[in-house]
Amino acid sequence: MERAGFDPHISAAKGFCAIAIVVFHSVPPQLLQHVILFLPVGALFIISGMFLKDEHLQHPGRFIARRFRRLWIPYVLFMLICLFSHNMLANIHLYSDHYSAEQIRQRVFSVLTMQERDNLLGCFWFLKELLYATIFAFVAIKLSQWLLGDAYHPAVMLTVALFVLIVAANFYNIPYLAQIETLYPKTLLATAIYLCGYVFARTNWRILSNWFTVAALIALSCWAIWDYEDNFNTTWWNLPKYFGASMLVSFAAIYFCQLLRGKALSALSYIGKFAMPILLLQFFAFRTVDLLKIAVHDLPIRRLADFPIIADNNEYFWILYTIVGLALPILAANLYDRAKCGIKQRFAQLSKT
């Protein structure tokens, strides 16, 4: 049973992005990797901004607490598990090094402040940036509403997004800003894209859902990314370039998914429901294919620590990486949901007795 307000087309867009992310990390042919580079992250921030509703703005504490519960807790939980089992996993070659007790202690603080990166949880940086972007955007919207009163209009946030983008481009030239350890240019880039998603959801954008719009956006996207090879970690004035290219490709994907019908829509929408588990668990899933590649090509077992995959002999293996990177996280999420429902039913039965 779908929750109220569920939009299969938006879920399909999330599924499209999840597939793109897994394909990108599976190291496909260079041309495909270059095109995908601009799609998934920007589109996910846009879609997240589209889900910021007026009722959320009326209950700041509840909304922020919910975002921490959905983003900060999974990040910290998974990171701490990997951190405290790092040396054990290194013994079976999932990591290439061992941590001392002092290193583990220092990294605990990095985990709690969402600064830690991990080769088995490579996409977790997205949770941190999404949490920060959500909070910054929320504060910007509430402050604008308070300052402008009845004159407030969501389109004001486009000006704010442009300002944030300019600040991001000049990040290292602004006194004291670069000294904030938890803040980076990509954090502000994520905030600008999130704000654009918030505004986009408040326009009558579906009236442009036609194949001509999709074709025009794809043509503009091809022109924008033809000889541009930077990514979400870009800095300086390459950052607005990435922003523009990412927005074009993202809107092309969203409009394309809006036109889907039948089994294609159902399949992508289903994958979209598991976008978060796919982001969290794809690198674990990749290790099963790594083991197969090690066996087939007689590679040393230490190559299991390669990130994000073992890139050798990958002409066709990237397809298998993609399939497994999607299928295993979806399977794990379904098993978790069944187990959770079973435990709830069990407690409900015990409470009645």
Side-chain angles (χ1 to χ4, degrees):
M1 184 176 181
E2 305 292 1
R3 63 185 181 275
F6 175 79
D7 186 336
H9 296 94
I10 297 301
S11 181
K14 291 171 62 179
F16 194 76
C17 293
I19 293 172
I21 287 173
V22 177
V23 170
F24 180 80
H25 288 140
S26 70
V27 192
Q30 188 172 6
L31 179 59
L32 180 58
Q33 191 173 26
H34 176 65
V35 173
I36 291 176
L37 176 65
F38 294 88
L39 167 62
V41 177
L44 285 177
F45 280 116
I46 290 172
I47 293 170
S48 297
M50 292 172 66
F51 281 106
L52 181 57
K53 307 296 183 183
D54 291 335
E55 53 264 31
H56 297 149
L57 296 170
Q58 302 305 317
H59 304 282
R62 185 189 307 170
F63 176 72
I64 298 299
R66 184 180 179 185
R67 300 311 288 171
F68 266 90
R69 188 166 62 250
R70 295 193 64 181
L71 298 174
W72 185 81
I73 290 179
Y75 176 95
V76 171
L77 179 62
F78 277 80
M79 280 292 188
L80 287 179
I81 290 173
C82 284
L83 178 61
F84 287 116
S85 60
H86 182 96
N87 289 343
M88 180 183 68
L89 295 175
N91 290 335
I92 57 175
H93 307 287
L94 289 177
Y95 294 111
S96 59
D97 59 347
H98 289 74
Y99 288 159
S100 66
E102 177 62 21
Q103 285 177 310
I104 292 176
R105 186 189 65 80
Q106 292 174 352
R107 288 175 182 272
V108 167
F109 178 77
S110 296
V111 168
L112 296 177
T113 56
M114 303 185 81
Q115 300 305 303
E116 186 66 14
R117 297 290 299 271
D118 188 281
N119 282 358
L120 287 181
L121 301 170
C123 273
F124 268 42
W125 68 267
F126 175 82
L127 300 185
K128 178 253 182 181
E129 303 305 340
L130 179 56
L131 178 61
Y132 278 52
T134 301
I135 295 174
F136 291 163
F138 190 93
V139 171
I141 294 168
K142 290 292 290 184
L143 186 60
S144 298
Q145 289 178 337
W146 177 70
L147 290 173
L148 297 176
D150 293 338
Y152 171 80
H153 189 277
V156 171
M157 304 320 299
L158 287 177
T159 303
V160 176
L162 180 61
F163 172 77
V164 171
L165 198 61
I166 293 173
V167 172
N170 291 277
F171 185 85
Y172 294 106
N173 290 329
I174 300 175
Y176 306 111
L177 190 61
Q179 298 178 14
I180 303 176
E181 293 185 358
T182 59
L183 192 64
Y184 301 96
K186 66 180 179 182
T187 309
L188 300 181
L189 171 61
T191 303
I193 297 175
Y194 186 97
L195 285 169
C196 289
Y198 166 79
V199 177
F200 182 63
R202 281 150 183 79
T203 63
N204 193 13
W205 63 276
R206 285 181 173 83
I207 64 172
L208 294 177
S209 295
N210 54 67
W211 290 112
F212 175 81
T213 300
V214 173
L217 286 169
I218 290 175
L220 288 171
S221 300
C222 291
W223 170 77
I225 69 177
W226 182 257
D227 60 352
Y228 188 71
E229 298 183 355
D230 221 322
N231 59 32
F232 203 80
N233 293 309
T234 187
T235 56
W236 306 111
W237 290 105
N238 278 332
L239 193 145
K241 294 179 183 178
Y242 177 87
F243 170 83
S246 178
M247 293 287 282
L248 286 171
V249 178
S250 299
F251 285 131
I254 292 171
Y255 276 112
F256 171 76
C257 291
Q258 184 67 24
L259 298 171
L260 293 177
R261 299 291 184 272
K263 293 182 179 180
L265 174 63
S266 298
L268 280 178
S269 179
Y270 179 78
I271 294 173
K273 296 176 187 178
F274 300 97
M276 190 61 72
I278 290 171
L279 284 176
L280 303 185
L281 301 175
Q282 60 178 299
F283 291 97
F284 281 104
F286 285 165
R287 298 301 168 244
T288 61
V289 183
D290 284 340
L291 286 171
L292 176 61
K293 184 178 282 189
I294 286 171
V296 170
H297 295 287
D298 194 26
L299 300 173
I301 190 64
R302 58 180 173 78
R303 296 292 303 279
L304 199 59
D306 284 13
F307 177 82
I309 63 166
I310 298 175
D312 301 4
N313 305 297
N314 209 45
E315 292 82 2
Y316 303 104
F317 263 94
W318 69 270
I319 299 174
L320 184 58
Y321 277 115
T322 299
I323 294 172
V324 172
L326 292 169
L328 288 187
I330 291 175
L331 176 62
N334 275 310
L335 292 175
Y336 171 78
D337 288 340
R338 289 187 181 183
K340 185 170 66 173
C341 288
I343 292 172
K344 286 183 178 180
Q345 291 175 359
R346 182 60 178 168
F347 273 107
Q349 292 173 355
L350 291 174
S351 64
K352 292 179 181 178
T353 59

